[in-house]
Amino acid sequence: MRRGVRSPAPSNEQLAGSALQRRVEALLERMTLEEKVGQLAQYSVGTPTGPGTGRSDYETLVRTGAAGSMLNVVGAQETNRYQRIAVEQSRLKIPLLFGFDVIHGYRTTMPIPLGMAASFDPALVEQAMHLAATEAAAEGIRWAFSPMVDIARDPRWGRVAEGSGEDPFLGAAMARAYVRGYQGPSLSESTSVAASVKHFAAYGAAEAGRDYNTVDMSEVSLRQVYLPPYQAAIEAGSATLMSAFNTLNGVPATANAHLLTAILREEWGFNGFVVSDWTAVAELKNHGIALDGPSAALKALSAGVDMDMESHLYAPELPRLVREGKLPMAVVDEAVRRVLRVKFALGLFENPYVDEKAAAYVATPEKRELARRMAEESIVLLENKGGVLPLAPGRKVALVGPLADAPVDMLGTWNGKGDPRDAVTLRAALEHRLRGTPGALRHARGTDVLSADSSGFAEAVAAARASDVVIAALGEDTNMSGEAASRTRIDLPGNQLQLLEALAATGKPVVLIVFSGRPLALTDAQRHVAALVQAWQPGIEAGPALVNLLWGDVDFSARLPITFPRSLGQVPLYYNHLNTGRPASQTDLTRPASNGAEKYVSRYLDERNTPLYPFGHGLSYTTFDFSPPQPSAPSLQARAVRGQRGEVLRVKTRVRNTGTRPGTVVAQLYLRVLGASTAQPVRQLVGFQRVTLAAGESRELEFPLGFQELSFFDARATRTVEPGTRYDLWVGDSSEATQHASFTLE
Ligand code: GLC
């Protein structure tokens, strides 16, 4: 009996269908051992996305049935070329499965995933990912190495850009949205691509935020914080999963039977296939758990890795291991079944080719409109002192900074086939916006992203003096986040802070737009600015989205999916932390304490405990208030809740737009469990809703809660609820919500 698995999703059912099984068995019976193993070998053809130098015999590999999948093949002509070799020249004519890193768009580049998570809008993310799937499938790519759902609490880690931030509930909601967007109602649709939830598991917990580094945590933390988004993706029907590079509690994820078989297969009922990450099978030797290639291949396959990405080990080693009696043929057969099931479900045997004469890509108005909406809903207003925003018409603007006119850096990491020529920069959008007013816009670069040269400051300061307001476009370039891009400093890079100080010294109000793939430490920066906007890397419609937001044509609605610390010294810093036995007082100490209550508490001598901006934070041009949450019952029976599939409690609140203009708020419901057998976080997100209200309008909201939301993991790492516990609830528009109520479990 699989614990906690809800009803299987479309592709899970497809993969388990009896008609499809019969086709798989009929083909399997005809395959030689080498042809079986060929289906388990994946090769990168084209620009590599990892270490290695490639091969020169891909056509031969395909023609002899020694390759089952390829990645990084780009273009319909190329995918068809290799597919024709497989389907028309190989003995069994099994089609290839082409994979690609479709992470936040294929050609129409959306905001980076951390930005899309800030929208708290899974429905829009699903639309955006369906567009990505449509574009990729049109070129023969029927497998996306996405969603990346690794929970991340350390902004030093460059891949924080690729995920949905620090929270399991938001991460799970986004994981479901990506899978639904990619796979649609059926994998056999020509516009569907198989998802590949990654990187299983807990890759985002790399020690010190250093990529590929060691991960060590309790089973309770693993299950309570890191696994929920993977499980959500599997329950949403992700057809594949990618195993991670890192060790988890001493066992490399790519040879970890606890993860890949016990949890993934036996508990969650996953019936797709597992692909290793790039050369991760071979890296078992570096980890020290494999003495040689055969041992690495045997350990990975035996643990549950069905396909070998770029280690070039399965193909040469598995047949020998079978013939030497070290590897049962049944294990190979089951891996091949899993791969063939996905290929049949995708309809590749019926439709292996794509239309090479399909119209060349155009960033149509509809695609741009979706990319712009996604960007507008992703960009977070962090500060707006004195209502400097929205900008009034007619104001003269100085646009300064190295990211004002940087199309490449608007696309962000893992931008697929994104083309900087499609990107509309902030400068271009401002020029368009202010085209009717000569002299309304002055532009000066001021400095580079990573520079000590201040020779450009004078021009920037002059532009500021001649204007009414300064827009400073600062932050990271696209290569400063993503894979193998960890940083030991998260301040504004180079001399950008000095430029900001020079601009502020003019006395003109400064609106700082931060472009980055991670939270930066903005404590010094925010002192000098009237408004602060976190733009992430917003995609091809960066400029138009920002201009619409800055002038108020569209209101800000995004909220932070990850904590922004005051300084790196606080990291890891996240909202759903445990309370400790000596929590610092809410006065948020910042001075050395003499003695007594302020001294012996969990705090620093030189920094506050609180973040600069908390999870869930974001401003709008209007304001909202909430009534206290009302649980539908003051008390529940624990035994009536345990293991329940549906709703067990409903929480109501009323949200009101208390401002003078319409706006959208992300209503957030948090809870804390007290009296449990294990210490529980001071807050956990268990519900969110985007709500758009006219000025003065109010609306009643209802949050259904089930066992999944009320449960936690006990010391034996079993998901449970316990009698004699009290649940505190808060509702509001950030993790610092104050409207409170409680209920109990008897
Ligand atoms: C990379 C990444 C992974 C990606 C794969 C193929 O090393 O870790 O996320 O999907 O290789 O490019």
Side-chain angles (χ1 to χ4, degrees):
M1 174 59 191
R2 301 190 309 246
R3 286 194 299 181
V5 174
R6 297 188 179 125
S7 58
S11 57
N12 258 335
E13 287 172 335
Q14 277 180 287
L15 296 180
S18 54
L20 189 144
Q21 301 306 341
R22 284 195 295 274
R23 297 183 71 184
V24 167
E25 293 308 322
L27 179 52
L28 192 64
E29 283 170 10
R30 300 167 51 208
M31 298 172 78
T32 65
L33 174 55
E34 275 67 18
E35 285 167 335
K36 290 177 182 178
V37 169
Q39 290 302 304
L40 311 184
Q42 181 186 54
Y43 299 95
S44 173
V45 183
T47 307
T49 44
T53 55
R55 302 172 61 129
S56 57
D57 60 346
Y58 297 117
E59 294 186 10
T60 305
L61 289 169
V62 174
R63 189 171 297 111
T64 57
S69 172
M70 292 179 152
L71 72 147
N72 296 327
V73 179
V74 173
Q77 289 77 4
E78 274 299 276
T79 53
N80 275 349
R81 184 169 74 83
Y82 282 107
Q83 196 67 292
R84 267 192 282 278
I85 297 173
V87 171
E88 298 169 18
Q89 299 178 31
S90 75
R91 186 178 80 87
L92 291 175
K93 310 188 184 321
I94 300 172
L96 291 165
L97 176 57
F98 294 98
F100 195 79
D101 291 284
V102 187
I103 306 299
H104 53 109
Y106 181 65
R107 174 63 189 271
T108 304
T109 307
M110 301 290 167
I112 56 172
L114 190 58
M116 289 199 283
S119 70
F120 281 74
D121 191 347
L124 191 62
V125 171
E126 180 178 341
Q127 281 186 55
M129 294 304 99
H130 180 63
L131 171 61
T134 304
E135 292 180 354
E139 296 199 354
I141 305 297
R142 299 297 306 278
W143 184 18
F145 301 132
S146 177
M148 187 279 214
V149 302
D150 303 309
I151 295 288
R153 294 170 159 174
D154 191 329
R156 291 172 290 183
W157 191 49
R159 302 195 78 164
V160 67
E162 280 179 72
S164 295
E166 71 189 42
D167 180 71
F169 187 87
L170 177 62
M174 289 295 159
R176 286 187 284 268
Y178 279 82
V179 171
R180 285 193 298 257
Y182 292 135
Q183 300 189 168
S186 168
L187 282 174
S188 61
E189 297 284 332
S190 63
T191 56
S192 296
V193 302
S196 176
V197 58
K198 71 185 185 183
H199 305 80
F200 197 58
Y203 178 31
E207 276 183 8
R210 196 173 77 236
D211 208 351
Y212 317 120
N213 204 4
T214 303
V215 173
D216 212 282
M217 65 177 68
S218 69
E219 185 79 3
V220 171
S221 292
L222 175 68
R223 288 180 177 273
Q224 184 132 329
V225 178
Y226 291 86
L227 291 190
Y230 302 107
Q231 184 171 5
I234 297 302
E235 289 176 358
S238 182
T240 78
L241 173 140
M242 185 182 293
S243 67
F245 292 118
N246 52 284
T247 54
L248 175 63
N249 301 333
V251 181
T254 296
N256 195 314
H258 176 59
L259 287 175
L260 297 170
T261 299
I263 293 177
L264 183 61
R265 302 277 179 195
E266 293 163 8
E267 280 187 42
W268 296 352
F270 177 59
N271 56 19
F273 74 82
V274 173
V275 63
S276 74
D277 202 340
W278 184 288
T279 65
V281 174
E283 290 169 18
L284 299 179
K285 293 180 282 184
N286 296 339
H287 283 298
I289 71 159
L291 290 173
D292 52 24
S295 166
L298 180 60
K299 289 195 171 189
L301 184 74
S302 305
V305 175
D306 302 303
M307 185 182 283
D308 164 11
M309 178 193 288
E310 268 298 315
S311 288
H312 304 195
L313 283 175
Y314 275 20
E317 303 301 350
L318 297 186
R320 186 182 311 132
L321 288 163
V322 170
R323 294 193 171 97
E324 290 169 355
K326 295 175 182 172
L327 173 62
M329 177 72 90
V331 174
V332 173
D333 286 350
E334 186 51 28
V336 178
R337 284 191 186 94
R338 292 164 178 166
V339 172
L340 292 179
R341 277 202 294 261
V342 174
K343 289 187 172 183
F344 276 116
L346 285 165
L348 288 175
F349 287 82
E350 291 75 21
N351 301 297
Y353 305 120
V354 290
D355 175 4
E356 294 179 33
K357 296 184 297 301
Y361 173 84
V362 174
T364 62
E366 296 73 23
K367 293 184 176 187
R368 285 198 177 275
E369 202 272 335
L370 179 55
R372 187 171 57 253
R373 279 178 58 212
M374 195 70 254
E376 286 165 353
E377 290 197 16
S378 300
I379 297 169
V380 190
L381 180 57
L382 296 175
E383 298 269 9
N384 189 19
K385 302 167 188 170
V388 68
L389 295 178
L391 295 175
R395 304 200 72 185
K396 291 185 288 183
V397 176
L399 175 62
V400 178
L403 293 162
D405 197 14
V408 170
D409 300 312
M410 296 300 104
L411 302 188
T413 187
W414 291 113
N415 54 60
K417 279 195 70 184
D419 187 328
R421 291 169 298 181
D422 297 336
V424 182
T425 65
L426 179 55
R427 180 182 185 185
L430 279 172
E431 285 170 346
H432 178 72
R433 176 88 185 199
L434 302 176
R435 63 193 182 284
T437 316
L441 176 62
R442 287 174 172 77
H443 171 255
R445 184 177 174 82
T447 188
D448 291 332
V449 169
L450 207 52
S451 168
D453 176 0
S454 60
S455 60
F457 283 21
E459 182 194 14
V461 167
R465 292 192 192 288
S467 304
D468 301 318
V469 62
V470 182
I471 296 178
L474 306 177
E476 298 179 315
D477 69 30
T478 196
N479 297 315
M480 298 172 87
S481 60
E483 185 173 359
S486 296
R487 295 178 61 209
T488 60
R489 297 176 56 85
I490 59 169
D491 317 285
L492 282 172
N495 63 1
Q496 295 183 47
L497 179 60
Q498 289 72 20
L499 171 62
L500 190 63
E501 288 166 344
L503 295 168
T506 66
K508 303 287 183 172
V510 178
V511 175
L512 172 57
I513 315 279
V514 177
F515 296 89
S516 66
R518 58 165 49 86
L520 296 182
L522 301 170
T523 306
D524 293 335
Q526 61 90 21
R527 292 193 187 100
H528 301 294
V529 302
L532 178 52
V533 173
Q534 174 62 29
W536 317 105
Q537 278 118 6
I540 64 169
E541 283 288 300
L546 279 164
V547 166
N548 286 347
L549 290 164
L550 294 173
W551 267 267
D553 301 352
V554 172
D555 193 0
F556 289 92
S557 62
R559 298 292 185 270
L560 290 181
I562 191 166
T563 297
F564 274 55
R566 295 176 185 281
S567 64
L568 188 57
Q570 295 178 290
V571 168
L573 184 68
Y574 46 92
Y575 87 95
N576 47 355
H577 60 81
L578 301 188
N579 201 32
T580 79
R582 293 193 172 187
S585 72
Q586 291 314 307
T587 58
D588 194 16
L589 307 164
T590 54
R591 59 188 180 284
S594 54
N595 205 330
E598 291 188 353
K599 180 176 179 58
Y600 299 106
V601 293
S602 180
R603 54 168 293 217
Y604 302 98
L605 294 181
D606 55 358
E607 184 57 276
R608 299 165 183 255
N609 279 9
T610 52
L612 185 63
Y613 303 110
F615 175 86
H617 170 73
L619 303 178
S620 303
Y621 287 139
T622 185
T623 51
F624 302 90
D625 70 9
F626 290 79
S627 67
Q630 293 175 314
S632 52
S635 179
L636 296 170
Q637 292 298 313
R639 64 174 178 278
V641 171
R642 191 171 295 116
Q644 281 302 310
R645 289 183 181 280
E647 174 184 331
V648 296
L649 183 80
R650 184 162 284 256
V651 180
K652 291 183 182 178
T653 185
R654 176 166 289 277
V655 58
R656 183 162 57 97
N657 178 341
T658 53
T660 58
R661 52 177 290 155
T664 300
V665 65
V666 178
Q668 302 159 47
L669 178 67
Y670 294 87
L671 68 72
R672 178 184 186 186
V673 191
L674 287 156
S677 57
T678 46
Q680 295 301 313
V682 294
R683 296 213 174 173
Q684 295 182 86
L685 183 70
V686 290
F688 63 84
Q689 296 179 40
R690 281 175 59 91
V691 185
T692 299
L693 298 170
E697 183 187 3
S698 69
R699 189 169 309 156
E700 181 168 274
L701 304 179
E702 297 190 0
F703 293 91
L705 298 180
F707 174 65
Q708 187 78 11
E709 288 74 33
L710 301 186
S711 59
F712 51 87
F713 287 88
D714 64 18
R716 289 183 309 282
T718 301
R719 183 183 280 277
T720 188
V721 291
E722 296 170 353
T725 48
R726 190 186 86 210
Y727 287 72
D728 284 350
L729 293 166
W730 294 271
V731 69
D733 60 359
S734 97
S735 57
E736 295 185 341
T738 54
Q739 291 291 27
H740 171 261
S742 298
F743 65 92
T744 59
L745 249 58
E746 308 302 336

